[in-house]
């Protein structure tokens, strides 16, 4: 795995010090062991390239550097991990999988559709809308964890019109996270050569994500998000994942940062099983 920090925060419509998250997540890793369920993640070779110098950049200005970093990472490593930063990094990071978005699949774990209009510029509220405008087919997008009273009817209609598959938080609880994510990856793999995973920590219930301005009561539980991260890591077509929307200054008892670090470890544990060996 190649890891890079993308500490952009000027794309946030809610404000916050998302630029502090990459180092906070790295620091939280030391509180964990490397072993879980028969897998030691030290089996995965990891190169941390540090943070890109984009904290003061707009999402538009950071496009080339983020996309280039992800693309360069994938020239050498099986997967890229992008530590955000706010959710505006998802568009450029996904663009790093290649110029032809028609063969890219996108799985989002998010409370929100992120389909706001782009006419006033790029923000953490419209990376998916921007990717659709860039040429990503809506049929190649699956959104998991969408929550009630977190999105407008207008954006739900945009998702429907684009052909995006939407799985709500309530539907996740009914069907089970393993079934939902496995089905999403199966569908995306049938349509795409490479899959990008956008893991917005505000998909979590507010009790578990006080550091995420967009988190609300009724979200997913940490164990569901950790299971999703591991399944994504295990899938051979998943080439990149981001962890976004964590503002360490708003955290309580490091609960959000610790969960983000655990997601990184769970993704790595999934990567370690690729090829049938753990």
């Amino acid at each position: 795995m190649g890891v890079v920090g993308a500490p952009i925060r000027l794309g946030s419509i809610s404000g916050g010090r998302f630029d502090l998250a990459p180092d906070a997540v790295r620091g939280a890793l030391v509180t964990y062991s490397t072993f879980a369920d028969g897998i030691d993640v030290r089996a995965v070779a990891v190169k941390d390239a540090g943070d890109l110098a984009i904290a003061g950049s707009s999402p538009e200005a950071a496009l080339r550097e983020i996309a280039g970093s992800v693309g360069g990472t994938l020239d050498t490593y099986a997967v890229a991990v992008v530590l955000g930063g706010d959710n505006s990094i998802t568009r450029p990071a996904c663009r790093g999988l290649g110029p032809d978005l028609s063969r890219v699949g996108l799985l989002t774990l998010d409370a929100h559709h992120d389909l706001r209009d782009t006419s006033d510029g790029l923000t953490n509220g419209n990376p998916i809308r921007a990717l659709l405008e860039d040429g990503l087919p809506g049929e190649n997008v699956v959104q998991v964890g969408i929550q009630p009273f977190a999105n407008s009817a207008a954006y739900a209609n945009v998702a429907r019109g684009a052909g995006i598959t939407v799985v709500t938080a309530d539907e996740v609880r009914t069907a089970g996270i393993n079934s939902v994510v496995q089905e999403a990856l199966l569908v995306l793999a049938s349509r795409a050569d490479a899959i990008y995973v956008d893991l917005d920590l505000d998909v979590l219930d507010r009790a578990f994500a006080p550091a995420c301005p967009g988190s609300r009561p009724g979200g997913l539980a940490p164990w569901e998000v950790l299971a999703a991260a591991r399944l994504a890591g295990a899938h051979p077509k998943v080439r990149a994942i981001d962890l976004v929307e964590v503002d360490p200054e708003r955290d309580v008892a490091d609960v959000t940062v610790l969960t983000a670090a655990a997601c990184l470890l769970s993704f790595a544990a999934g990567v370690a099983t690729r090829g049938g060996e753990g």
Side-chain angles (χ1 to χ4, degrees), residues 19-171:
D19 55 312
L20 302 177
D23 279 346
V25 172
R26 292 183 181 102
L29 290 172
V30 302
T31 67
Y32 288 100
S33 78
T34 61
F35 181 78
D37 301 326
I39 297 171
D40 194 321
V41 296
R42 289 179 296 179
V44 179
V46 180
K47 171 65 174 180
D48 187 347
D51 290 353
L52 301 173
I54 56 172
S57 300
S58 68
E60 291 88 346
L63 168 62
R64 180 170 297 184
E65 189 162 3
I66 296 174
S69 177
V70 171
T73 297
L74 295 178
D75 287 340
T76 305
Y77 298 95
V79 290
V81 177
V82 187
L83 303 178
D86 66 46
N87 214 159
S88 67
I89 73 162
T90 297
R91 180 214 180 199
C94 185
R95 289 272 298 266
L97 268 62
D100 183 9
L101 291 177
S102 68
R103 296 300 300 170
V104 171
L106 174 62
L107 170 62
T108 78
L109 295 159
D110 200 329
H112 309 97
H113 290 297
D114 290 342
L115 290 169
R116 291 174 181 259
D117 192 270
T118 62
S119 58
D120 291 328
L122 301 179
T123 69
N124 62 344
N126 59 24
I128 310 307
R129 183 72 165 264
L131 282 166
L132 294 178
E133 294 173 357
D134 288 339
L136 178 69
E139 294 84 358
N140 289 17
V141 182
V142 179
Q143 298 196 302
V144 173
I146 300 298
Q147 293 178 26
F149 308 113
N151 300 275
S152 73
Y155 301 132
N157 288 335
V158 171
R160 188 177 303 110
I164 293 173
T165 299
V166 175
V167 185
T168 68
D170 286 341
E171 289 171 332

